[in-house]
Amino acid sequence: MTTIDPDARPGHMARGDGEGRVKWPLYGVGAGVLGGVATLLADVRAGTVERTPVETSVLDEVSRSVAHLGLVAGFLTVSLLLVLAATWRRQVEPRVPSSTAAYVVSGALTASAAGLTYGYGWKGALAIYLPDGLDERSFDQDGLFVYFMLNDFGGYIGWLGVVVAAGAVAWMALRERTISRWIGWFSLLPVLAVVLFAGITGLPGFQGVVGPVWMLVTFLGLAWGRSAIVR
């Protein structure tokens, strides 16, 4: 079982207010909220009429402002994931030096940040090439359609690293007992959901649905709970 070093300097420096609340998990809360906006609310397919097969006429229904929102909220999400990964390395890893899972969390968050940079970047590219965009005459309908298809799962696939982080947090909670057990059980849900959807149907992006929710709930739980890594 992984042990906590109660005298580790990062743990003491992480104290937030007078009640001993830590504030660094709020980076994860922010990433969850903004990630939900960038991925789900700013999905460029939202508001388009479902058609089979999808062809270039769908571009007439795509909102440039929605794509722009996805870029801005998405890049803020990426920034928060990177800050969270760095803060986790500073505040958590020194307290549980024998925990491999703890090191997986920071690496997985960084991996998601890298992947999502591309996914959200494609939203921005669509925003500037659509009518009324900065470079609206750069591509014809076929070229724009390529960017639309990149956005089909572009903002979803990159959340896989976050789901890997969820699995590592579940291990820390249920095996090492350094995180509240309820967070561990909750963290198993996105892992199981992604494994089942990918394994049974081949769906590559369900992590973009469950990842932001996991971030929001888990890091609120760390900020306001009594997990050993933040006490």
Side-chain angles (χ1 to χ4, degrees):
M1 179 181 296
T2 299
T3 59
I4 294 286
D5 179 1
D7 297 319
R9 177 177 292 270
H12 289 287
M13 293 178 66
R15 298 296 183 186
D17 55 28
E19 298 179 354
R21 301 292 183 189
V22 294
K23 294 182 179 179
W24 65 262
L26 297 180
Y27 292 125
V29 175
V33 172
L34 287 171
V37 171
T39 302
L40 303 174
L41 185 62
D43 189 335
V44 299
R45 300 169 302 177
T48 62
V49 176
E50 187 174 346
R51 46 172 63 75
T52 303
V54 180
E55 34 79 30
T56 56
S57 65
V58 73
L59 295 167
D60 297 330
E61 303 165 11
V62 175
S63 169
R64 194 191 73 82
S65 60
V66 168
H68 191 179
L69 172 63
L71 170 77
V72 175
F75 277 8
L76 288 173
T77 301
V78 168
S79 299
L80 286 173
L81 285 173
L82 290 172
V83 173
L84 177 63
T87 308
W88 180 280
R89 285 194 295 270
R90 180 173 181 268
Q91 302 288 2
V92 178
E93 291 172 9
R95 294 173 61 85
V96 286
S98 63
S99 171
T100 300
Y103 293 92
V104 170
V105 172
S106 57
L109 293 175
T110 303
S112 265
L116 290 172
T117 299
Y118 287 97
Y120 296 137
W122 288 327
K123 290 179 183 284
L126 190 59
I128 66 171
Y129 295 139
L130 282 170
D132 298 325
L134 183 64
D135 295 318
E136 60 177 318
R137 291 185 173 85
S138 295
F139 292 96
D140 61 11
Q141 291 291 92
D142 290 335
L144 284 174
F145 189 64
V146 171
Y147 277 107
F148 177 80
M149 292 306 298
L150 286 172
N151 276 280
D152 187 32
F153 283 111
Y156 291 79
I157 295 173
W159 283 92
L160 181 60
V162 167
V163 173
V164 172
V169 166
W171 181 269
M172 293 175 69
L174 302 177
R175 179 69 175 178
E176 299 173 350
R177 308 294 179 87
T178 55
I179 294 176
S180 298
R181 288 175 64 81
W182 76 263
I183 293 178
W185 291 114
F186 176 74
S187 296
L188 287 177
L189 297 180
V191 176
L192 293 174
V194 170
V195 168
L196 287 174
F197 271 97
I200 295 174
T201 70
L203 183 69
F206 196 67
Q207 56 269 23
V209 177
V210 297
V213 177
W214 177 79
M215 293 283 298
L216 174 62
V217 174
T218 296
F219 285 94
L220 274 176
L222 288 175
W224 293 97
R226 295 187 56 81
S227 294
I229 61 169
V230 296
R231 284 208 301 269

